[in-house]
Amino acid sequence: MKGLATILIAGSVVTVVAISIGFGVADMGTVALVTVLTAIILTVCWQAGTERDPWFWWVATLAFVAKLAGSALRYWVLVVEYERVGDATGYHGWGSRIAETWRAFKIPSLDGSMGVGTQVVRWITSLLYAPYQPTMLGGFFMFATLAFLGQLLFYCAFRRAVPGARLGIYAGFIFFLPAMVFWPSSIGKESLMILFLGFASYGMARAFVGYAPLWLVVGGAGLAAAGMIRPHIAALTAASFAGSALLGRGTWQGKAAAGRVIVLGIGALLTVVAVSTFSDRYEIGEPDDLDPFISDVGQRTQQGGSAVEGEAVRSPSALPGGALRVLFRPLPHEAHNLQAMANALENTALLAIVIWKTPAMVKRIRRIRIPYVMMSAAFTVGFVVAFSTFLNLGILARQRSQVLPYLLAVLVALGWDSRDRFAGTPQQAGRHLAADPLDRDVTEQSNHTRLRSGRHLPVS
C-alpha cells in the first residue's frame, strides 16, 4: 500500500514541478529544496504511526502536501494581492543580508531596534538561509515545514496524553483546518510559534504522564524559544501547565507524588520566568500598569478596515462575547473580501461544531481533569482574555492559529466518545504505550504502576 502511495505521490510531485517550471513559477533551486523537505517530512511521518493510528502515514503525507499548497497560496496572496507588502518580505530581505554574517562564522547581534520578537525572527531566518539562499517562495516552504513539524508535535502530544481519544478527528482538525494550513505557512512569527508551542506541548504532555520531570527540559526549551518571540504566549502556556499539574487528575501518593511535586515546582518556576520576561518586555512594573497597557493595545489595533467595536474581558460575564470575537469572528456578514469570506465560512463551521458538541462536552465534563485537556482549556480561556484587547479581526485571524490546537484538543477530548480499540483493557493499553515509537523510554515499572492504579485511561 505504501509502495503504491509512493508512486502516486511521486508522480503528482513530478507533474506539479514540471508545470511550475514551465510557467516560471518555481526555479530548480526551489524544486530541489522542496524535494529535500518532502523526503525528510515523509520519513518522519511514515515512522510516527502507532497501532492506535495505522492510517497516520497517509493522512500525514496528505497533510504535508496540503501544507505546501497552503504556503504557495499564502505566497501568491502576498505577491499578487498585497504587491509584496508584508512582514514576510521584510524577514526574507533581512534574513538574506544577515546570512552573510553566519557565512563569515560570526554570530549576528540582536539590537532590538524593531522589537525583540522581530529581531529573533530575522535572526532565525538568516540562520536557515546561511547554508542555502532560497528564493522567497523557498523561504515560505521552509517556514511551512517548520510549522508542520509543530502541528505533528501537537498531534503526538494529544495522542500521548489523552489515551482513548478520537485521534482521526483531531488529526483532521489539526492538519486540515484551513486556518492551520494557511496562516502559519509563511516566513514569520506564526510558523515559528506553532513549532515552538508544539515542542513545549509535547514535552509537557510527556511530563503529565507519570509526572516525569526530565521531559520538562523539552517543554522548557520550547517555552524559552516561544518567549523570545511572544513572551505573553509563553507565560500563558507555562501558567496553564502549572495549574493543570496542581489540579489535574493523578495520584498524590508514593513516588508519583514526588514526581508531581517536582513537575509542579518546575512549572511554577517556568511561569515566573515567563511572566517576568513579559513584564520586562512591555515595561509592566506593577499591576496598575496593566490597564494603560490594555488600553494602548486596543487603540493601536482598532485601525483599518478590519477594526471592530468591543472591550477587553474583565469579568466572567464578558467572556462569551470575548470568546466569540477572538475565536470565531469574522462571521459571513462581516466579510469584506474573498479572503475574509473564506475565513468567515470556516469560523462559522467551527462555531457550529462547537455548538453541536456542547451537550456532549457538558456530559463528559469529568474529562476536563485530564491534565493535558485541563491545560488546553486553561490556555484557551487565557488566550480569549488576553486577546480580547485586540480590536482588529484581521490580526485575530492570524494570531488565532496559536490557540486552535488547544481549543481542538478540548473539543475532541470532550465532544466525542472514546472508540479507540485500545480503550478496552489495561493489558491492551499497556501494549499501546509500549508500541508508540515516540514513547520507547517509558519504563516497564511506570506502566505496571499505572495499570495497577487503574489510571491507564484517564478519559473514562
Side-chain angles (χ1 to χ4, degrees), residues 51-66:
E51 294 180 16
R52 290 182 68 195
D53 50 4
W55 40 262
F56 180 73
W57 64 272
W58 63 263
V59 170
T61 299
L62 291 178
F64 185 63
V65 173

Side-chain angles (χ1 to χ4, degrees), residues 230-242:
R230 287 176 176 156
H232 50 297
I233 296 296
L236 177 57
T237 308
S240 300
F241 170 78

Side-chain angles (χ1 to χ4, degrees), residues 99-256:
E100 297 295 334
T101 305
W102 289 107
R103 296 189 190 110
F105 299 100
K106 298 179 181 178
I107 300 178
S109 61
L110 298 176
D111 58 30
S113 59
M114 292 295 293
V116 176
T118 298
Q119 288 286 313
V120 169
V121 176
R122 291 176 178 177
W123 191 87
I124 294 175
T125 305
S126 68
L127 182 60
L128 293 172
Y129 284 9
Y132 166 71
Q133 178 65 58
T135 62
M136 190 160 70
L137 177 60
F140 268 62
F141 288 149
M142 279 185 173
F143 276 76
T145 302
L146 295 178
F148 183 79
L149 287 173
Q151 291 169 253
L152 181 63
L153 286 165
F154 271 117
Y155 172 81
C156 291
F158 183 80
R159 180 179 66 187
R160 185 67 181 88
V162 194
R166 298 290 291 274
L167 297 180
I169 296 173
Y170 186 73
F173 279 133
I174 195 71
F175 290 123
F176 296 103
L177 197 69
M180 296 301 298
V181 172
F182 181 76
W183 289 114
S185 299
S186 68
I187 307 171
K189 295 178 181 178
E190 272 68 38
S191 297
L192 293 177
M193 287 300 295
I194 292 297
L195 173 65
F196 297 147
L197 289 177
F199 267 108
S201 297
Y202 184 72
M204 291 172 180
R206 292 300 304 266
F208 279 136
V209 179
Y211 290 98
L214 288 179
W215 276 102
L216 286 182
V217 174
V218 177
L223 277 181
M228 290 191 297
I229 299 175
R230 287 176 176 156
H232 50 297
I233 296 296
L236 177 57
T237 308
S240 300
F241 170 78
S244 301
L246 175 64
L247 302 175
R249 183 182 301 175
T251 181
W252 284 98
Q253 299 177 353
K255 293 182 178 179

Side-chain angles (χ1 to χ4, degrees), residues 250-439:
T251 181
W252 284 98
Q253 299 177 353
K255 293 182 178 179
R260 188 169 186 176
V261 170
I262 295 173
V263 166
L264 179 58
I266 296 175
L269 178 62
L270 291 174
T271 302
V272 171
V273 172
V275 171
S276 299
T277 302
F278 167 71
S279 300
D280 292 342
R281 179 81 62 86
Y282 296 104
E283 300 179 352
I284 301 175
E286 43 188 72
D288 290 342
D289 296 333
L290 196 56
D291 282 343
F293 172 76
I294 292 174
S295 299
D296 180 61
V297 171
Q299 292 173 3
R300 286 190 290 109
T301 57
Q302 198 174 25
Q303 301 177 17
S306 298
V308 294
E309 296 294 329
E311 60 181 11
V313 174
R314 299 175 185 269
S315 66
S317 61
L319 189 59
L324 179 64
R325 183 173 75 251
V326 173
L327 300 178
F328 302 110
R329 291 176 63 185
L331 297 174
H333 69 279
E334 298 173 304
H336 52 80
N337 56 38
L338 183 61
Q339 181 176 317
M341 179 56 73
N343 185 26
L345 292 176
E346 177 191 15
N347 293 339
T348 303
L350 185 58
L351 177 59
I353 293 173
V354 171
I355 294 173
W356 168 46
K357 283 296 178 180
T358 294
M361 295 171 70
V362 172
K363 178 182 177 181
R364 304 183 186 98
I365 195 63
R366 287 192 309 163
R367 299 182 185 178
I368 199 70
R369 290 198 62 216
I370 300 171
Y372 187 78
V373 178
M374 180 175 284
M375 184 188 84
S376 298
F379 183 94
T380 302
V381 173
F383 188 93
V384 168
V385 173
F387 280 81
S388 64
T389 60
F390 286 64
L391 301 178
N392 188 297
L393 298 182
I395 296 175
L396 288 173
R398 295 193 299 273
Q399 300 267 0
R400 191 177 293 141
S401 61
Q402 299 167 107
V403 72
L404 285 176
Y406 300 103
L407 171 65
L408 297 171
V410 177
L411 175 62
V412 175
L414 273 62
W416 274 267
D417 282 322
S418 299
R419 294 183 181 175
D420 189 272
R421 63 194 179 103
F422 288 104
T425 67
Q427 290 76 19
Q428 289 174 322
R431 286 199 298 272
H432 148 61
L433 290 173
D436 193 330
L438 294 175
D439 302 329

Side-chain angles (χ1 to χ4, degrees), residues 18-97:
I19 294 174
S20 300
I21 294 176
F23 281 92
V25 176
D27 61 284
M28 288 303 298
T30 302
V31 171
L33 175 64
V34 170
T35 302
V36 172
L37 295 176
T38 302
I40 294 172
I41 290 298
L42 293 189
T43 301
V44 173
C45 291
W46 289 8
Q47 295 297 320
T50 69
E51 294 180 16
R52 290 182 68 195
D53 50 4
W55 40 262
F56 180 73
W57 64 272
W58 63 263
V59 170
T61 299
L62 291 178
F64 185 63
V65 173
K67 190 68 173 178
L68 293 181
S71 183
L73 178 60
R74 190 96 155 82
Y75 174 79
W76 181 86
V77 170
L78 174 66
V79 172
V80 176
E81 294 295 319
Y82 295 105
E83 299 179 346
R84 296 182 180 266
V85 177
D87 293 340
T89 305
Y91 289 134
H92 175 72
W94 277 99
S96 301
R97 290 189 289 273

